[in-house]
Amino acid sequence: MSKQILILPGDGIGPEITAEAVKVLELASEKFSLGFELHHDVIGGAAIDRHGVPLADSTLALARKVDAVLLGAVGGPKWDKIERDIRPERGLLKIRSQLGLFGNLRPAILYPQLADASSLKRDIVAGLDILIVRELTGGIYFGSPRGTRELENGERQAYDTLPYSESEIRRIAKVGFEMAQVRGKKLCSVDKANVLASSQLWREVVEQVAQGYPDIELSHMYVDNAAMQLVRAPKQFDVIVTDNMFGDILSDEASMLTGSIGMLPSASLDANGKGMYEPCHGSAPDIAGQGVANPLATILSVSMMLRYSFAQTEAAAAIEQAVSRVLDQGLRTGDIWSEGCKKVGTREMGDAVVAALRNL
Ligand code: IPM
Ligand code: MG
């Protein structure tokens, strides 16, 4: 039976970048005889407009049925005033949690062609290759109770909860160790164990899991120090494993080391390797509809999909190589542009990757 893929473009620049990634996906399917069948649906603000909720039950049911999901980005000012529980971001959090996509892989790789696009000095970032493993279905994003209450003095107080169970920590720690095993054999667990109870348990459980991976060099770092080390000496890291909120923050920071958040793909995997693939960046409402967004993070997310959901290593590598060729040709969207390069729009960039992939 053919492999089913669900495409959820979302909002803002989501539809523009996803359209380019779909062209690449369709070509890869044809070139490598993968026989993919694509389905299209809505999520986020687009789903609110169509169904009144950011993730319709029918969309969730389809997402459960398919083999992989490709997602653009969600959210935008149009839906900012909506009640918190049905905002576009809730649709994204719901699909992550309902599909059990707890393991979020966010590689930050510096393409040598972009060394000058990074805000850090070339020698600090040259050759950078970090993988952030972010826990994606637990912690403060999902903890209860949460809400707003009125204090005795009449002022409002808002609160969130940051819970982590041993099993949640254990399974993401294992992903971290396993990724380290196929990479540089170094794992840094990032927490705030000097302050947070959830982080103390996190550190304890990571230590236990480490017993099963004697070949991996494990270190622990507080998140504030990790944020600092990432800009001071990022190449000290191989794999970083961390909780949901710290991973959200550190992956944005790491993206700037690579030149632009427009370059960062991600994979979110369940316990059986089923995955959803999305760029790490958001819907960028400020540039939506202008055809200037960088589609490479989404195109590279397709490559991660081929690698992790379909074990198509050759096709995945071909897409990465096509991206590299296009950068070699000097084509740059605005976010990665530097003197001497040719500035192109979203579609031109997508077309160039398609052409490069076709000619490989
Ligand atoms: C990300 C995004 C999301 C997150 C938002 C859009 C809810 O920032 O994927 O990093 O915080 O997880
Ligand atoms: Mg984020």
Side-chain angles (χ1 to χ4, degrees):
M1 212 185 91
S2 67
K3 297 285 184 196
Q4 313 287 314
I5 299 172
L6 174 61
I7 312 290
L8 298 174
D11 313 315
I13 59 169
E16 300 162 55
I17 53 174
T18 308
E20 300 314 308
V22 165
K23 289 198 286 202
V24 174
L25 179 59
E26 282 172 339
L27 175 60
S29 175
E30 181 195 311
K31 191 175 162 94
F32 295 90
S33 309
L34 306 176
F36 290 145
E37 193 180 324
L38 307 192
H39 304 262
H40 299 261
D41 208 336
V42 288
I43 193 169
I48 296 175
D49 290 350
R50 191 181 298 177
H51 303 292
V53 288
L55 178 67
D57 290 344
S58 55
T59 309
L60 182 57
L62 189 53
R64 284 190 204 284
K65 259 190 13 216
V66 296
D67 300 290
V69 180
L70 179 69
L71 187 139
V74 299
K78 180 176 174 195
W79 307 280
D80 269 356
K81 299 251 155 16
I82 294 180
E83 160 198 351
R84 203 189 55 215
D85 284 348
I86 56 157
R87 285 178 49 143
E89 290 77 7
R90 283 281 136 199
L92 179 59
L93 298 186
K94 185 171 173 187
I95 197 169
R96 286 174 178 171
S97 105
Q98 289 291 310
L99 296 184
L101 307 172
F102 68 90
N104 184 214
L105 311 182
R106 299 190 158 191
I109 295 167
L110 183 84
Y111 279 82
Q113 301 93 325
L114 297 184
D116 292 321
S118 173
S119 37
L120 273 80
K121 291 193 198 92
R122 178 182 268 271
D123 60 314
I124 295 198
V125 293
L128 185 84
D129 181 354
I130 302 178
L131 177 66
I132 296 183
V133 177
R134 169 188 177 193
E135 199 290 325
L136 202 60
T137 54
I140 201 164
Y141 273 54
F142 296 95
S144 67
R146 65 157 69 214
T148 312
R149 60 190 162 210
E150 194 171 308
L151 297 176
E152 275 174 16
N153 68 5
E155 77 169 327
R156 285 177 309 149
Q157 182 189 54
Y159 54 97
D160 296 278
T161 307
L162 200 179
Y164 266 111
S165 66
E166 291 179 282
S167 57
E168 284 176 309
I169 301 168
R170 196 171 299 118
R171 66 182 183 178
I172 193 68
K174 282 189 178 157
V175 174
F177 281 104
E178 275 156 27
M179 288 294 147
Q181 271 181 330
V182 295
R183 292 175 41 101
K185 302 216 183 306
K186 271 170 62 179
L187 179 66
C188 179
S189 171
V190 171
D191 62 37
K192 189 70 186 174
N194 51 348
V195 176
L196 302 176
S198 56
S199 277
Q200 282 152 15
L201 184 64
W202 179 281
R203 196 172 275 220
E204 227 177 87
V205 173
V206 170
E207 285 286 347
Q208 283 167 9
V209 175
Q211 304 300 312
Y213 300 88
D215 54 329
I216 303 301
E217 184 193 317
L218 172 68
S219 60
H220 300 277
M221 207 178 266
Y222 297 139
V223 63
D224 48 349
N225 185 25
M228 188 263 278
Q229 296 296 337
L230 266 176
V231 285
R232 192 189 72 86
K235 283 187 268 180
Q236 71 186 282
F237 297 106
D238 174 22
V239 181
I240 291 176
V241 64
T242 191
D243 86 356
N244 203 342
M245 183 165 62
F246 298 156
D248 178 45
I249 299 167
L250 293 181
S251 59
D252 264 33
E253 188 188 359
S255 74
M256 273 324 285
L257 306 174
T258 72
S260 164
I261 194 164
M263 295 299 297
L264 233 70
S266 84
S268 307
L269 305 173
D270 76 359
N272 306 311
K274 171 165 175 171
M276 181 164 87
Y277 300 83
E278 49 175 319
C280 289
H281 61 69
S283 57
D286 52 322
I287 57 164
Q290 299 173 20
V292 298
N294 185 349
L296 293 180
T298 320
I299 289 172
L300 291 167
S301 298
V302 168
S303 160
M304 291 190 86
M305 174 191 286
L306 296 182
R307 200 180 293 278
Y308 291 106
S309 281
F310 301 115
Q312 294 293 337
T313 323
E314 197 194 338
I319 292 177
E320 286 155 12
Q321 210 183 326
V323 167
S324 193
R325 289 267 166 97
V326 166
L327 295 176
D328 282 339
Q329 291 159 18
L331 303 192
R332 305 281 189 274
T333 41
D335 57 316
I336 49 174
W337 182 84
S338 61
E339 210 57 50
C341 294
K342 178 170 184 228
K343 198 179 277 187
V344 296
T346 312
R347 185 172 307 160
E348 227 175 323
M349 186 59 112
D351 286 342
V353 176
V354 165
L357 180 61
R358 186 167 283 127
N359 294 330
L360 274 182

